[in-house]
């Protein structure tokens, strides 16, 4: 296994170029006015399978040998990596078994099935998805494609930052990105360290799932306490990855947002920006709108990481029937 690097991100960009969507970098006067600064939004909600995850999944699966492809892949995820892995497997002509929490949003489960993935459910509070995945992989001889702690996954996600910097028309003062296991923000950090080292990079997490913040303070991967679930189902990993965390130690800081603040950000995005964003994809916008970081008179980039939200949940949030 190689060490993730900026050179690897460049190679990933070449590897995945023909299979992904080059997502737009958006700016809107309503958001700029609300923040008092300039905000650039990388709309990964418009990516294949509705989230940034397709970048890393395709980068990993497209590198499998013909023999490995013939044996299929196993992935585990609450939804976005699940759909991305199923989509990439379908593109590469191999089968996929996807291990998903039993409380995964219905739209994500249906998305996996529509892409030909075989879904296996587990209880996220009492069972280990890693153990289940390893057992299936052993039984079938399949290749495990993890959601974040893999060099090719990390480097694939980093291509998001390459596009962002290429499309920006000037320097970026700060960048905000959500994190679960830390694969996306690790890939971003590889790029920013090389291409834009003066940009301050902040992680944003749900307030009760702040394992990256706790880990940065402790200097070692540290889990968050078990507690009530968050509406940000995509950001509920218990602890940062062993590969991702050392990369993410270069972060400038960690921010947390409440479910109520996430709901308000989703409403703002729909009403003013005409964007559909899932809860986990809205945490960076929520941090800005709730004043968790000073963005006045600065250029701030945020990653809108996904748009796979359950229709009923989305309707309840944007109409105010659900407020976190």
């Amino acid at each position: 296994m190689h060490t993730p690097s900026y050179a690897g991100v460049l190679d990933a960009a070449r590897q995945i170029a023909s299979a992904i969507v080059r997502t737009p970098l958006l700016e809107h006067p309503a958001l700029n006015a609300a923040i008092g600064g300039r905000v650039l939004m990388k709309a990964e909600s418009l990516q294949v399978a509705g989230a940034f995850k397709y970048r890393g999944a395709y980068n990993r699966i497209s590198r499998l040998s013909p023999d490995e492809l013939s044996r299929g892949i196993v992935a585990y995820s609450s939804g976005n990596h699940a759909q991305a892995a199923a989509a990439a497997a379908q593109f590469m002509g191999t089968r996929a078994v996807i291990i998903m929490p039993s409380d995964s949003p219905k739209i994500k489960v249906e998305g996996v099935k529509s892409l030909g993935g075989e879904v296996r459910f587990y209880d996220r509070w009492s069972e280990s998805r890693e153990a289940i995945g390893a057992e299936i992989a052993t039984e079938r001889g399949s290749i495990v494609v993890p959601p974040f702690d893999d060099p090719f996954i990390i480097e694939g996600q980093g291509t998001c930052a390459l596009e962002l910097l290429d499309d920006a028309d000037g320097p970026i003062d700060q960048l905000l990105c959500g994190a679960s296991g830390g694969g996306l923000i690790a890939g971003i950090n590889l790029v920013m360290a090389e291409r834009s080292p003066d940009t301050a990079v902040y992680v944003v997490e749900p307030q009760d799932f702040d394992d990256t913040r706790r880990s940065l303070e402790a200097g070692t991967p540290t889990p968050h306490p078990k507690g009530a679930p968050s509406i940000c189902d995509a950001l509920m990993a218990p602890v940062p990855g062993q590969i991702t965390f050392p990369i993410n130690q270069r972060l400038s800081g960690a921010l947390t947002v409440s479910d109520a603040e996430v709901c308000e950000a989703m409403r703002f995005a729909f009403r003013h920006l005409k964007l559909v964003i899932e809860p986990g994809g809205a945490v960076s916008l929520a941090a800005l709108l709730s004043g968790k970081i000073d963005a006045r008179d600065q250029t701030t980039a945020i990653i809108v990481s996904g748009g796979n939200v359950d229709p009923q949940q989305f309707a309840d949030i944007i109409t105010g029937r659900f407020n976190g």
Side-chain angles (χ1 to χ4, degrees):
M1 182 178 291
H2 70 278
T3 300
S5 66
Y6 175 67
V9 178
L10 294 178
D11 184 63
R14 174 200 56 77
Q15 179 79 6
I16 71 177
S18 64
I20 66 163
V21 172
R22 185 183 178 95
T23 56
L25 189 63
L26 306 175
E27 182 176 7
H28 198 288
L31 181 55
N32 288 349
I35 298 303
R38 192 175 184 208
V39 183
L40 305 178
M41 299 172 285
K42 182 62 169 165
E44 283 296 288
S45 52
L46 304 180
Q47 188 53 260
V48 175
F52 74 93
K53 289 283 191 178
Y54 188 71
R55 296 175 182 271
Y58 184 81
N59 190 45
R60 181 69 184 90
I61 294 171
S62 67
R63 295 175 187 270
L64 297 178
S65 69
D67 175 65
E68 289 172 326
L69 288 170
S70 72
R71 292 185 270 132
I73 65 105
V74 177
Y76 37 82
S77 163
S78 67
N80 285 337
H81 177 65
Q83 292 179 94
Q90 185 181 67
F91 189 94
M92 294 301 300
T94 189
R95 67 185 185 279
V97 177
I98 310 296
I99 302 158
M100 304 184 70
S102 55
D103 59 356
S104 295
K106 183 178 179 182
I107 189 173
K108 295 184 178 182
V109 176
E110 292 175 345
V112 170
K113 292 179 177 179
S114 72
L115 292 163
E118 175 188 341
V119 176
R120 296 282 189 91
F121 290 112
Y122 79 102
D123 185 326
R124 72 162 81 233
W125 307 110
S126 64
E127 295 181 289
S128 166
R129 63 185 189 175
E130 290 84 1
I132 296 170
E135 181 180 351
I136 294 173
T138 298
E139 289 175 355
R140 301 191 179 193
S142 302
I143 308 302
V144 175
V145 179
F148 51 83
D149 225 20
D150 177 280
F152 288 122
I153 297 288
I154 293 166
E155 289 165 346
Q157 318 304 27
T159 61
C160 171
L162 289 179
E163 294 176 7
L164 189 157
L165 291 176
D166 286 346
D167 292 345
D169 58 1
I172 295 170
D173 297 306
Q174 54 192 8
L175 183 150
L176 277 60
C177 176
S180 183
L184 172 59
I185 200 164
I188 288 172
N189 271 317
L190 291 174
V191 174
M192 302 308 283
E194 185 74 22
R195 291 271 304 273
S196 188
D198 292 333
T199 299
V201 180
Y202 294 89
V203 66
V204 187
E205 298 173 293
Q207 62 183 11
D208 294 325
F209 293 84
D210 57 344
D211 47 285
T212 302
R213 183 189 67 79
R214 293 170 182 270
S215 300
L216 290 172
E217 290 180 355
T220 188
T222 303
H224 57 72
K226 289 186 177 180
S230 167
I231 61 169
C232 300
D233 62 279
L235 303 182
M236 291 170 60
V239 66
Q242 293 294 322
I243 301 175
T244 61
F245 179 68
I247 300 170
N248 290 332
Q249 285 185 290
R250 77 171 294 273
L251 284 163
S252 298
L255 313 170
T256 62
V257 291
S258 68
D259 281 1
E261 289 164 341
V262 168
C263 288
E264 184 54 40
M266 292 172 66
R267 283 191 284 270
F268 184 97
F270 181 73
R271 293 173 181 172
H272 300 288
L273 312 178
K274 307 310 175 187
L275 290 176
V276 174
I277 309 177
E278 67 180 275
V283 292
S284 295
L285 179 60
L288 277 185
L289 291 171
S290 60
K292 298 300 174 68
I293 192 168
D294 186 5
R296 292 170 298 176
D297 302 318
Q298 298 189 74
T299 297
T300 302
I302 65 172
I303 310 299
V304 178
S305 56
N308 293 311
V309 58
D310 179 81
Q312 187 59 59
Q313 181 191 52
F314 186 68
D316 289 343
I317 289 172
I318 64 171
T319 58
R321 290 194 298 267
F322 180 83
N323 290 297

